Amino acid sequence: MNDTLALSVTEKSTRRRSLIAGCGAHAVHDGLTDVIYVLLPIWQTQFALSYAQIGLLRGAYSGMMAVFQLMASRAAKRWGRMPMLVGGTALAGAAYLLVGQASGLAMLLLALLLGGLGASTQHPLASSMITDAYEEGGGVKQALSQYNFSGDVGKTLIPGLVGLLLTVVSWRASATLLGLIGVAAALVLWRLVPTQACESTATKKARPLSRTGSTTGLRALILTGTLDSAVRMGFLTFLPFLIQAKGAGTAGIGLALTMLFIGGAFGKLLCGYLGARIGMMKTVWLTETSTALLIVTAVYLPLTGLMVILPVLGLVLNGTSSVLYGAVPDLAGAGKREQAFALFYTGTIGGGALAPVMFGGIGDVLGVPMAVMVLAGLLLVTLPLAWVVQRDDKFEV
């Protein structure tokens, strides 16, 4: 009886520590990823960069993260989950230490490439660690919901903090502090991740799935997620410049991003429930149409009006991803859940990486407002794709 009780306590402790570690890693990595938006206008002025070069810098980080995600999962099977997750977090922190010493575009680009490489370990390893910890006792969806929400907490706190810091210290000092946060987070993860959670998912028996899956539906879902992510990342790249043109300073840009990310965090929770209630297709149509209209509105509103709508814009801008993510298991074939999630993550992050580069060139030629308008129009392509997903999805989200 005592042995059973002790085992139960141990399992609960493992689940809790895995969740805290995964959520902490997600918060730090997402914060380090999105704080780049606050620094882009400063780098443009400091190094006389074009919008295409700005897009290249932003795309370099996300591109490396997307490309090496599948490799990070395979590497974890060989060297272990914890060394890869801790090492990746430390590398992301070290990249910002290098950013603080950058003297030009080449050094900035190198640092962000290294940062993206480190960040590639977080999504596949942290989410699989939480899934493994909660799968046997139940509560996987609830745990992953907390994990997803924690990323938005990091996106809210770290860019907001740096926006305020930039009013009193230099951007180089702020980047150095970000680097120290990343290295410190790696040390905490090293102590926090339980031994039981260090095993790769390859060493655990996967539950057989009864679904036959839908290749067409999954492809449509990945393309929908890719376009949604591309618009989101493209808009986030241009938002600081849009706000700056309306008269806001560095602190105002940080505040605007914080308001947008707060709305986005609640959007993930709200749209997940909404999708379960009215269906994936109706939810996507509602969120994507609302996002397109609000993006166009943001171009014409004065600064005060833009600040007011940013939380609502963040809600619909970010909420779609939660609904799409929940449809992946329903469209995955038997035994192919991990592969389906890996492909979905790679597509969405890849779309987010390419968008700043592509639309940065459009911004150079046509200007920021017109580039933002093109982004809004691109969202309408997701509407027929969502219909294809709904048609081929034979299971509840």
Side-chain angles (χ1 to χ4, degrees), residues 102-116:
S103 57
L105 176 63
M107 194 169 178
L108 266 181
L109 183 60
L110 174 61
L112 293 179
L113 287 171
L114 291 175

Side-chain angles (χ1 to χ4, degrees), residues 30-40 96 158-160 162-163 178:
D30 275 21
L32 293 180
T33 299
D34 283 19
V35 75
I36 294 175
Y37 296 118
V38 179
L39 297 172
L40 288 178
Y96 271 97
I158 293 181
V162 171
L178 290 170

Side-chain angles (χ1 to χ4, degrees), residues 172-246:
R172 294 184 185 277
S174 298
T176 301
L177 177 61
L178 290 170
L180 294 176
I181 290 175
V183 173
L187 294 175
V188 172
L189 285 174
W190 179 62
R191 297 298 301 271
L192 185 62
V193 176
T195 304
Q196 297 93 323
C198 295
E199 296 181 27
S200 171
T201 53
T203 64
K204 298 179 179 290
K205 293 183 179 180
R207 287 183 187 173
L209 299 175
S210 59
R211 301 179 173 94
T212 58
S214 169
T215 302
T216 302
L218 184 60
R219 287 174 179 172
L221 182 70
I222 293 173
L223 183 53
T224 304
T226 300
L227 292 174
D228 177 72
S229 178
V231 171
R232 183 166 59 253
M233 296 306 175
F235 181 72
L236 286 171
T237 301
F238 285 121
L239 181 59
F241 303 101
L242 196 63
I243 296 172
Q244 191 177 57
K246 296 177 185 292

Side-chain angles (χ1 to χ4, degrees), residues 79-159:
W79 291 298
R81 181 182 290 159
M82 186 175 71
M84 292 299 299
L85 182 59
V86 171
T89 305
L91 181 59
Y96 271 97
L97 294 177
L98 185 59
V99 166
Q101 305 300 316
S103 57
L105 176 63
M107 194 169 178
L108 266 181
L109 183 60
L110 174 61
L112 293 179
L113 287 171
L114 291 175
L117 179 61
S120 69
T121 62
Q122 188 274 133
H123 279 115
L125 303 188
S127 58
S128 61
M129 177 178 69
I130 292 173
T131 300
D132 290 348
Y134 279 81
E135 189 167 23
E136 185 174 347
V140 173
K141 289 185 178 180
Q142 294 88 330
L144 287 176
S145 176
Q146 295 177 53
Y147 165 75
N148 287 332
F149 181 78
S150 69
D152 287 275
V153 172
K155 292 177 182 179
T156 301
L157 293 180
I158 293 181

